Amino acid sequence: MLARIYRPAKTAMQSGKAKTSDWRLEFEPTSARFNDPLMGWSGTTDMNGQVRLSFETKEDAIAYAERHGIAFRLHEPNEAPVIIKAYADNFSPDRKQSWTH
C-alpha cells in the first residue's frame, strides 16, 4: 500500500491560491478500474482510492505515514515564479515591445 504526499496545485478555474497551502496524503491505486456492463460506469475494488487526508504541513503528513507504517512517496511542489506587473508598465517609455493596435 503506497501513498502519495503532495501539495495540490491551483485549479485552472482559480486566479488565487486558495486551498493550495495544505498537504494531501492519497493512496496509489492497487487494482485496475473496470467498466460496469449495465450502466457503463467505471468501478474499482480498491477502497483506499477514496481516502484523502489533509495536513497543514509536510512534516505532519510524513509523521502520520510513518506512525501508521504507510510507505509513501513525497512529491515536492514546483513553485511558480513571481512576476510583478503593473498596469502603468504598459505606458512606460522604456517598454520593450512597441505599442500597436
Side-chain angles (χ1 to χ4, degrees):
M1 189 165 62
L2 183 66
R4 284 187 307 156
I5 296 176
Y6 68 98
R7 193 169 74 185
K10 74 179 192 77
T11 65
M13 302 303 290
Q14 292 176 335
S15 60
K17 296 188 181 207
K19 299 183 182 177
T20 60
S21 62
D22 60 341
W23 287 78
R24 292 226 178 115
L25 184 139
E26 291 182 359
F27 291 100
E28 295 283 340
T30 57
S31 62
R33 292 192 169 270
F34 59 88
N35 288 332
D36 181 73
L38 178 63
M39 298 298 291
W41 296 341
S42 64
T44 183
T45 58
D46 181 24
M47 293 298 113
N48 285 332
Q50 299 177 6
V51 177
R52 289 187 179 98
L53 301 174
S54 295
F55 299 92
E56 291 184 11
T57 63
K58 172 176 60 172
E59 290 77 19
D60 290 343
I62 292 171
Y64 178 85
E66 289 175 347
R67 186 170 54 241
H68 292 283
I70 301 170
F72 64 91
R73 184 178 313 145
L74 183 66
H75 296 274
E76 293 288 340
N78 295 331
E79 297 294 331
V82 177
I83 301 172
I84 299 173
K85 295 181 181 180
Y87 181 69
D89 292 341
N90 292 330
F91 306 104
S92 172
D94 298 330
R95 184 180 167 96
K96 304 250 191 279
Q97 298 171 344
S98 63
W99 181 303
T100 59
H101 289 286

